[in-house]
Amino acid sequence: MCRFWAIVAGLCLTLLAAFDAGHLAAAGQAADAPTFYKDVLPILQKNCQGCHRPGQIAPFSLLTYESARPWARSIKTKVESRQMPPWFADPHVQEFSNNPSLGDAQVATIVKWVDAGAIAGDVKDGPAPIQWAENGWTVKPDYVIKGVDYTVPAHTPKEVIEWATYYVPTGLTKDTWITSLEIKPSELSVTHHICVTFVAHDPAVKYNDLVWVDRKRDEAGVDLEAKGIGNLEPPGSVRARAVASAGFNDGCYVPGKSFEDYRIYDAAKLIPAGSDLRFQIHYTPTGKESVDRPEVGITIASEQPRRTYITAGISAPGDRKVFAIPPNDSNWSSPPAQATFMADAELVWMMPHMHLRGKDMTYVLEFPDGRKETVLNVPRYDFNWQLGYNLAKPIKVPKGTKMTVYAHFDNSSSNRFNPAPNTTVYMGTMTWEEMMFPFFSVVVDKGVDPKRILRTTAPTPDGA
């Protein structure tokens, strides 16, 4: 009997020792585990909060531990798979100053934090909160121009809302150099795009008056005449003289992009006194009626800048004879979009734009001496995150340089966003139609006329 109890006592001591060793190991592991405030919050501030805060496109906020903690497992999954932060440029082609991608060490920190229980830690260990501008602005504007309130119905016939155009006065009474521009819809879920252009005032313009073209569409909402890119205002309406055929505008909101900052290039745009602002808008029904109240915020230079910032866009030819994506084609090659620079410039920013079947896009410069350089390659385009790419080092573009942009489209059933893989897809204004529209921005010497800098090969829409 004594021998039996001796064996039991020995076993208990062994188990107790093992428990103590495991408990001490777990305690040591917890002590080494990253905490939100000390280790994770600095990563979120630098790489995530630009989108993950109130008023922005991301679906939840990452400003505080309380808002981030319920999403911990999802955050781990997304960063481990490199789905977040969204970034689609090929890193082997160029470097970009706004690349939010996480390094391996940052991903490991977040994974370890989640696996250890997503501990808060001591708030005193965290960095000071970023003082984001109020009301969802990226940068606090010096001046705000309000657009027209637009009621988006829950549903419409064929779910079509045609692009519309209207003009508002800027209220700028003197020549003004602006150094950034941000377009801020109030209802992101229904906003396909809002593009704006500063134009000279025309006395015939009626302010706040929406005009559009009622297009002939089939039961699927497809434009039957395929003239939906170039004719955005009905015959007889006043069309701004300053909107050039080369596709110049002063900014667009699309999902993932709304803000351009010219200050980082020591540049600005000149807005003449008395200018109007032309809004080009497109909304999409979502099953719930909502009212969008768009605003445009600008910052104003305190002195004249050294260079002028120009935002432009070009398009592939849109004729149905050359732009027709065949049914079930997973890798259709679009005719290229092309432009020739008619003055010396520096390329600073690019943004691909396609619709639901867009697959990839590549920008190539061919210099006057025959040398070619790929300046942006986006091998995996995502319509839901239409990102702009700021070159870390501007690229000098001499007069005579040609820009050619290539793209492919996936019209197959393997594209999970494709609404109708068994149909031929043409260029048009609706999301289920297609566009091949590369945006880009350059800076030029202050005396260069922005409207004479490009020669293009195809008409370019004023919107997106």
Side-chain angles (χ1 to χ4, degrees):
M1 182 66 84
C2 291
R3 177 175 172 78
F4 170 78
W5 286 112
I7 293 173
V8 170
L11 181 60
C12 289
L13 289 172
T14 301
L15 293 172
L16 182 61
F19 173 80
D20 287 342
H23 180 74
L24 291 172
Q29 183 180 15
D32 293 338
T35 66
F36 178 82
Y37 290 108
K38 182 180 179 181
D39 304 289
V40 175
L41 182 56
I43 299 173
L44 301 182
Q45 284 188 349
K46 180 180 178 183
N47 301 81
C48 307
Q49 289 183 0
C51 292
H52 284 272
R53 56 189 173 88
Q56 298 300 311
I57 190 174
F60 55 87
S61 173
L62 292 177
L63 296 185
T64 66
Y65 176 76
E66 289 73 19
S67 62
R69 178 61 182 84
W71 299 94
R73 289 289 172 188
S74 176
I75 293 169
K76 172 190 170 182
T77 299
K78 295 294 186 181
V79 300
E80 265 192 314
S81 62
R82 303 289 181 170
Q83 295 179 62
M84 288 287 153
W87 187 255
F88 310 112
D90 183 344
H92 303 100
V93 172
Q94 299 285 345
E95 292 185 7
F96 298 93
S97 61
N98 62 327
N99 185 350
S101 301
L102 301 182
D104 292 342
Q106 292 172 308
V107 171
T109 295
I110 291 174
V111 170
K112 190 175 180 182
W113 171 66
V114 175
D115 288 347
I119 302 166
D122 191 336
V123 67
K124 296 178 182 178
D125 291 337
I130 294 177
Q131 299 303 308
W132 296 102
E134 296 179 351
N135 301 321
W137 294 107
T138 301
V139 170
K140 182 180 179 181
D142 296 322
Y143 189 76
V144 175
I145 303 168
K146 293 184 180 296
V148 173
D149 290 2
Y150 191 101
T151 299
V152 182
H155 295 285
T156 64
K158 305 173 187 176
E159 300 300 345
V160 170
I161 298 178
E162 299 289 1
W163 294 17
T165 302
Y166 63 86
Y167 300 82
V168 301
T170 63
L172 297 172
T173 58
K174 62 180 181 180
D175 290 354
T176 303
W177 287 94
I178 67 170
T179 54
S180 71
L181 182 144
E182 181 169 12
I183 302 167
K184 187 166 72 68
S186 65
E187 297 294 332
L188 302 182
S189 63
V190 296
T191 306
H192 177 284
H193 78 253
I194 298 175
C195 292
V196 299
T197 308
F198 291 96
V199 299
H201 175 65
D202 188 323
V205 166
K206 182 179 179 181
Y207 289 137
N208 305 324
D209 183 31
L210 276 71
V211 297
W212 63 91
V213 176
D214 284 320
R215 310 187 191 285
K216 295 179 180 178
R217 296 185 176 277
D218 65 17
E219 290 304 311
V222 174
D223 185 354
L224 293 172
E225 297 180 341
K227 298 178 181 178
I229 296 299
N231 61 330
L232 297 177
E233 295 187 28
S237 65
V238 177
R239 191 164 170 84
R241 307 297 186 264
V243 179
S245 61
F248 290 106
N249 60 49
D250 289 300
C252 284
Y253 165 86
V254 290
K257 182 266 178 186
S258 65
F259 177 69
E260 283 186 68
D261 194 345
Y262 323 144
R263 295 168 294 186
I264 57 179
Y265 306 110
D266 189 23
K269 291 184 179 182
L270 176 62
I271 311 304
S275 294
D276 294 333
L277 189 60
R278 178 181 188 266
F279 278 76
Q280 208 293 302
I281 59 174
H282 181 200
Y283 294 103
T284 303
T286 60
K288 178 182 178 182
E289 181 178 300
S290 57
V291 179
D292 185 50
R293 298 178 172 86
E295 297 178 302
V296 177
I298 57 176
T299 55
I300 298 174
S302 57
E303 58 186 28
Q304 288 194 16
R306 195 166 56 85
R307 298 185 291 183
T308 298
Y309 189 96
I310 300 170
T311 307
I314 56 178
S315 176
D319 189 286
R320 288 192 174 197
K321 295 178 181 178
V322 294
F323 195 100
I325 308 174
N328 302 300
D329 191 329
S330 64
N331 197 41
W332 184 75
S333 181
S334 167
Q338 293 183 316
T340 301
F341 287 84
M342 308 308 292
D344 293 344
E346 287 189 1
L347 180 66
V348 295
W349 174 88
M350 291 161 283
M351 190 195 81
H353 175 71
M354 298 177 281
H355 288 172
L356 297 175
R357 297 168 176 87
K359 183 176 182 179
D360 60 62
M361 189 174 283
T362 304
Y363 291 60
V364 177
L365 293 179
E366 182 177 353
F367 298 95
D369 62 4
R371 179 174 59 90
K372 292 184 179 181
E373 181 178 0
T374 299
V375 291
L376 174 65
N377 176 36
V378 174
R380 186 173 62 85
Y381 173 80
D382 189 335
F383 176 76
N384 299 296
W385 293 96
Q386 298 179 52
L387 305 181
Y389 300 90
N390 293 328
L391 284 161
K393 183 179 180 181
I395 296 174
K396 292 186 180 299
V397 182
K399 178 181 178 180
T401 299
K402 180 185 292 185
M403 173 183 283
T404 303
V405 183
Y406 306 92
H408 293 89
F409 293 81
D410 183 355
N411 192 25
S412 72
S413 58
S414 62
N415 175 1
R416 63 190 180 96
F417 298 111
N418 190 352
N422 295 319
T423 62
T424 300
V425 181
Y426 302 103
M427 192 172 286
T429 56
M430 293 296 107
T431 303
W432 51 83
E433 297 169 313
E434 267 305 336
M435 295 186 72
M436 192 289 213
F437 187 14
F439 286 95
F440 58 95
S441 294
V442 298
V443 294
V444 297
D445 291 339
K446 196 165 54 177
V448 175
D449 183 350
K451 296 178 183 61
R452 296 183 181 275
I453 192 173
L454 288 178
R455 186 178 68 227
T456 61
T457 58
T460 302
D462 302 324

